[in-house]
Amino acid sequence: METNAAQARWERLTQRPLLALTVAFAVAYAVPIVDGSAGRSLTALCTGVEWVVWGAFAVDYLVRLALTPRRREFVRRHWPDLCAVVLPMLQPLRLLRLVSTLLLVGRRARMAPQIRLTTYVVGSVIGLLMFGSLAVLSVERESPDGNIRTLGDAVWWSFTTMTTVGYGDHAPTTGLGRMIAVGLMLSGIALLGVVTANIAAWFISRFEKDDVEERRQTEAIAALAEEVRLLRAEVARLTGEREGQPR
């Protein structure tokens, strides 16, 4: 119990700092892509920031693992966190570090009880748009046959891909770019399904509340009618007794 309390206290204390580090990571990831003329020193600085943020999430995972009383169960239940921590170390790709960091911050965000589903969906949409735009721009800008050359093209492509509209005016031409497109399309469909399901659930709950209120009113009216019937019967009985009495 004491260890669980220490783990919960650690998660509360580190939630906001890790979210701030994630913002720093997003900026460091975006700067070299948006600014194609970024020098070697700026690119190295941004790469260093990315690794520092990844290291912070790795330390956070190790601390939570050390504080939990059942470590095997923790590893089994939080295996995506472990993969997100280990994979960038095995294959230090910037794109892989972005996916891993987004995965880690998403896992930590879901642990916060105050984050509701709407906020999570909005944050997921913004994160996917950022990820899709920057990732496809980084792999398609230098492609000889590519037609996604600017950030505006990439953002427009991300919007049309996530919504599965697919105008076709911009499309990836590289293998990695097409893999990003597949992931973005599947994510967009999943988020659209979540939004649609929650809207339907809201309407169903409203209808159920209306049905409950209508049944309650119907039962109240039936009870009142029964009381009126009994009252009339009592009045009729008393009237009959009075009329039957001798004058």
Side-chain angles (χ1 to χ4, degrees):
M1 184 66 66
E2 183 178 355
T3 307
N4 290 337
Q7 180 182 353
R9 185 165 57 251
W10 168 264
E11 292 175 354
R12 287 195 303 268
L13 292 175
T14 57
Q15 178 183 341
R16 291 185 179 180
L18 288 178
L19 290 177
L21 286 176
T22 304
V23 174
F25 179 92
V27 174
Y29 178 82
V31 166
I33 298 176
V34 176
D35 186 7
S37 60
R40 183 175 299 179
S41 58
L42 179 59
T43 303
L45 175 63
C46 293
T47 303
V49 171
E50 294 174 13
W51 279 110
V52 168
V53 174
W54 171 83
F57 275 100
V59 171
D60 171 70
Y61 178 84
L62 293 176
V63 171
R64 287 189 292 141
L65 179 62
L67 293 177
T68 186
R70 300 177 180 177
R71 296 179 181 177
R72 291 185 179 180
E73 182 179 354
F74 179 87
V75 173
R76 186 172 60 253
R77 294 180 57 185
H78 297 83
W79 62 266
D81 297 22
L82 179 61
C83 293
V85 169
V86 173
L87 286 178
M89 184 172 56
L90 299 177
Q91 184 68 26
L93 297 176
R94 298 178 70 248
L95 181 59
L96 189 58
R97 290 203 298 275
L98 175 64
V99 175
S100 300
T101 304
L102 291 178
L103 177 62
L104 283 171
V105 73
R107 297 281 296 179
R108 287 302 305 271
R110 285 196 293 272
M111 293 179 185
Q114 69 272 20
I115 297 179
R116 297 182 180 180
L117 180 61
T118 303
T119 305
Y120 180 72
V121 170
V122 171
S124 299
V125 170
I126 295 175
L128 284 172
L129 284 175
M130 181 199 72
F131 160 73
S133 302
L134 296 176
V136 78
L137 181 62
S138 65
V139 300
E140 292 290 326
R141 183 164 50 191
E142 303 300 331
S143 176
D145 300 328
N147 57 7
I148 303 177
R149 304 291 185 184
T150 65
L151 182 61
D153 295 340
V155 172
W156 171 250
W157 172 84
S158 295
F159 268 110
T160 58
T161 302
M162 280 192 64
T163 56
T164 65
V165 174
Y167 286 112
D169 51 349
H170 295 289
T173 58
T174 63
L176 184 56
R178 289 169 180 169
M179 291 177 61
I180 295 171
V182 171
L184 205 59
M185 284 185 286
L186 294 177
S187 302
I189 293 172
L191 286 174
L192 182 61
V194 169
V195 173
T196 304
N198 279 274
I199 292 176
W202 181 81
F203 277 109
I204 291 174
S205 65
R206 293 295 302 176
F207 291 150
E208 289 179 350
K209 289 181 180 179
D210 292 341
D211 291 341
V212 170
E213 182 65 20
E214 184 177 354
R215 286 196 298 269
R216 189 185 66 81
Q217 292 178 358
T218 302
E219 292 173 357
I221 292 174
L224 180 61
E226 180 65 17
E227 291 180 0
V228 171
R229 187 185 66 80
L230 294 175
L231 182 60
R232 287 180 176 177
E234 183 67 16
V235 170
R237 186 182 64 81
L238 293 175
T239 303
E241 291 180 355
R242 291 183 59 185
E243 290 179 351
Q245 293 178 357
R247 297 185 179 181

